Amino acid sequence: KNASRAPVRGLLTVVAVAITLVAFVLLRTLSAGWTDRIKQTPNNRVVTRHRLGWGRPIPIRYTEMVRHMPGVRRAVGAAWLDLRLPGDETARFQTVAVDARDFVDMHYELTAPAEQKEAFVQNRLGALVGDELAVERGWHLGQQLHFRFPDHPGQELTLEISAIVKSVRVGFGQRAVWFHWDYFNEALPAEERDQISLIAAEIEDPKQGARLAKDIDIRFDGEEPQTFSQEDKALNTAIVGRFGAMLSAMNVVSLLVLGVVVLILGNTIEIGRAHV
């Protein structure tokens, strides 16, 4: 009856409540997404990079040295790249060259049929593609992809999609392409070969992550370049921590939005009672 007396007011109330509820859910989802990123990060991995920052490479030979350290189950060398699709320079997604076998064995959070993963390992031109990216681009199994090297005009890298993987880990792998590091390395000029961006090591005892990270850096203390290692979970915690103030503000704002919804509904109810 109250709604029929003032249909315009009733409609505006519904719209206002809907908008504020959407804003509340969006803010809570964004905040929860960053928190889940930390929770879902494996606690049995240690990441090693150049001591001076992510933008500097380290030698691929470091991977084998880390692989044979006590407490390490397996290690993967990886190179982050900025490959582009010819004719579509605006497309942005991760392209990463990896040690195929160890990468597949280590990253259980990337799910796909076993035969697809094995096909990737066995195919030198093979590529693993995140499902979100595959849907976005309309890619399918067996399709050939051609990428351009921004730093080497006229040079291209041809890949074949061997597996389309679904990531069960928030913020990891949904829009990425992984391929064989040795195949990529051979396509580079001689002076640019045998370099990677990081080493991911799977360790036997998660409780020893901090100690092992320190041991890795000590191992390369007399090498050039030197390294900086830390647990993967600690790394992601540090990244999220940079946005800590913003996340806290989002939580506060989301509660204020919820309070606005309550006030709107309360005001509407009281106005309706006054006309009864």
Side-chain angles (χ1 to χ4, degrees), residues 125-127 143-147 157-161 177 179 183:
L125 274 64
Q143 180 177 346
Q144 283 198 343
L145 305 176
H146 302 280
F147 293 96
L157 191 72
T158 299
L159 304 175
E160 182 178 303
I161 300 179
V177 178
F179 49 94
Y183 170 57

Side-chain angles (χ1 to χ4, degrees), residues 237-268:
T237 300
I239 293 174
V240 174
R242 297 175 184 176
F243 303 97
M246 183 181 69
L247 294 176
S248 298
M250 288 172 59
N251 286 329
V252 172
V253 171
S254 66
L255 292 176
L256 290 176
V257 168
L258 188 61
V260 170
V261 173
V262 174
L263 290 175
I264 291 175
L265 291 176
N267 181 64
T268 302

Side-chain angles (χ1 to χ4, degrees), residues 54-70:
W54 290 103
R56 297 173 180 265
I58 56 178
I60 185 63
R61 61 184 176 85
Y62 281 18
T63 305
E64 195 65 22
M65 298 164 74
V66 170
R67 188 176 286 132
H68 288 91
M69 292 186 65

Side-chain angles (χ1 to χ4, degrees), residues 11-24:
L11 177 61
L12 292 176
T13 299
V14 170
V15 172
V17 171
I19 292 175
T20 49
L21 283 177
V22 168
F24 171 76

Side-chain angles (χ1 to χ4, degrees), residues 40 88 99 110 229:
Q40 295 181 13
D88 192 357
D99 298 327
L110 299 175
S229 305

Side-chain angles (χ1 to χ4, degrees), residues 43 46 203 205-214 230-231:
N43 66 346
V46 171
I203 61 177
D205 184 0
K207 296 180 181 179
Q208 299 299 316
R211 179 194 63 77
L212 189 54
K214 183 178 180 180
Q230 62 185 141
E231 295 171 281

